[in-house]
Amino acid sequence: MLSLSVIAVVFGVIFVAELPDKTALASLMLGTRYRASYVFAGVAAAFVVHVALAIAAGSLLTLLPHRWVQGVVGVLFLGGAAVLLFSKADDEEEIKPPADQSFVKVAGAGFMLILVAEFGDLTQIMTANLAARYSDPVSVALGAVLGLWAVAALGIFGGRLLMKRVPLSLITKVAAGVMVALAGFSLYEAAAG
């Protein structure tokens, strides 16, 4: 059965963590060059694959003793917060535009860009952690996919406005703060047993 609270928590965590990521910028760039619906279709499909891999990894973590999982999850959340706070912004990656504007070419370019760029990314690791934490893979997957899709949609359809009004450094600090709070909660549960 789906848990709306798990979906909401996962959505919020993944949404905030993904906002300062290069994916929003890549989606924005593709969305300004090509038909937005085609770009979104490719990006959305890539995120489904990305989340499925993360859920599979997180589900394997649930086979370990609960205290160990909470400890590992807490440490990984702290590591994720450190990555957000201390990483320098990457230079914009060059995206080779498809030769034509067909659905297959544009969606395929978006799919491949996200699939490659997001593999092993912070949000994929966070999704695996959340799957292990909540032991509810369907709710975690749904929350993560919706969070990633929301960021992609913002990037494609309205990213320029968001970045003009909300500083990227603030978004990054909020995401790191949420991750530190989740880390503290997980480490507390690991210590308390």
Side-chain angles (χ1 to χ4, degrees):
M1 184 156 175
L2 290 176
S3 169
L4 293 179
S5 61
V6 170
I7 292 169
V9 167
V10 172
F11 175 89
V13 168
I14 296 300
F15 179 84
V16 170
E18 190 66 20
L19 270 179
D21 196 51
K22 62 191 169 288
T23 302
L25 299 174
S27 298
L28 171 73
M29 195 162 76
L30 284 171
T32 59
R33 294 183 186 173
Y34 306 107
R35 191 171 189 173
S37 60
Y38 292 4
V39 173
F40 185 77
V43 168
F47 278 133
V48 169
V49 172
H50 163 80
V51 168
L53 293 172
I55 294 297
S59 295
L60 290 176
L61 284 176
T62 62
L63 300 175
L64 297 173
H66 183 71
R67 288 180 83 170
W68 286 46
V69 170
Q70 292 302 331
V72 168
V73 167
V75 170
L76 288 174
F77 274 133
L78 282 176
V83 167
L84 280 176
L85 289 173
F86 300 116
S87 66
K88 302 279 189 245
D90 295 338
D91 290 337
E92 192 174 290
E93 294 179 19
E94 176 137 354
I95 300 170
K96 295 183 180 179
D100 62 47
Q101 294 277 332
S102 73
F103 174 80
V104 172
K105 296 284 185 176
V106 174
F111 179 85
M112 290 308 296
L113 173 71
I114 297 304
L115 193 64
V116 171
E118 291 293 310
F119 191 78
D121 194 40
L122 177 64
T123 53
Q124 191 172 37
I125 294 167
M126 288 175 60
T127 302
N129 289 344
L130 291 163
R133 170 142 186 41
Y134 289 110
S135 299
D136 185 356
V138 175
S139 296
V140 171
L142 187 57
V145 165
L146 291 174
L148 293 167
W149 285 359
V151 171
L154 277 175
I156 293 167
F157 299 108
R160 288 184 186 168
L161 294 174
L162 178 68
M163 294 303 177
K164 285 181 182 177
R165 293 190 167 36
V166 180
L168 188 60
S169 61
L170 176 62
I171 294 168
T172 302
K173 288 175 184 171
V174 168
V178 168
M179 291 175 64
V180 167
L182 286 170
F185 186 70
S186 294
L187 291 172
Y188 170 78
E189 280 193 345

